[in-house]
Amino acid sequence: MLDDTERKLLRIMCHFSNHYRRMPALAELMRLSGRKRAGVIAGCRELVREEYIQWLQAQPVETAVILLAWEKHESWPQFSGNGGGHWRD
């Protein structure tokens, strides 16, 4: 489960990239999230660790690629995929 900062950064990245067709720069993430540079960088590192984004920390944050645009939930039911359209509990 994501912390508030990571969740906010992921939502900003998703909406920004859909609207402007590019990833936000560090300064834009700082402005839009209301977080300081260290908080944004730490949040992006956590998103990488949790496999929500792919980003090489030696590169600018706008080079990140979104892998999963929404938060994973452990309690969501899994689709069985058996062709019958049934959900597993």
Side-chain angles (χ1 to χ4, degrees):
M1 189 157 190
L2 293 176
D3 190 26
D4 289 339
T5 299
E6 289 87 25
R7 188 180 306 110
K8 188 171 197 172
L9 290 172
L10 183 61
R11 297 303 336 136
I12 290 169
M13 288 176 168
C14 291
H15 291 297
F16 195 99
S17 65
N18 284 332
H19 186 74
Y20 295 107
R21 303 290 185 229
R22 66 177 179 85
M23 291 297 283
L26 181 60
E28 291 167 322
L29 282 174
M30 290 168 48
R31 179 179 54 85
L32 293 169
S33 68
R35 305 308 196 265
K36 295 184 187 237
R37 178 184 172 91
V40 171
I41 297 295
C44 288
R45 285 182 183 151
E46 183 63 22
L47 289 172
V48 168
R49 191 180 75 72
E50 294 283 335
E51 298 179 346
Y52 286 95
I53 65 171
Q54 186 176 28
W55 172 55
L56 297 174
Q57 296 175 24
Q59 299 292 322
V61 74
E62 56 264 24
T63 62
V65 176
I66 298 169
L67 301 175
L68 186 60
W70 54 86
E71 189 172 4
K72 304 173 205 172
H73 288 284
E74 304 295 327
S75 62
W76 285 359
Q78 298 281 331
F79 189 69
S80 65
N82 62 4
H86 300 288
W87 292 92
R88 291 185 287 169
D89 292 326

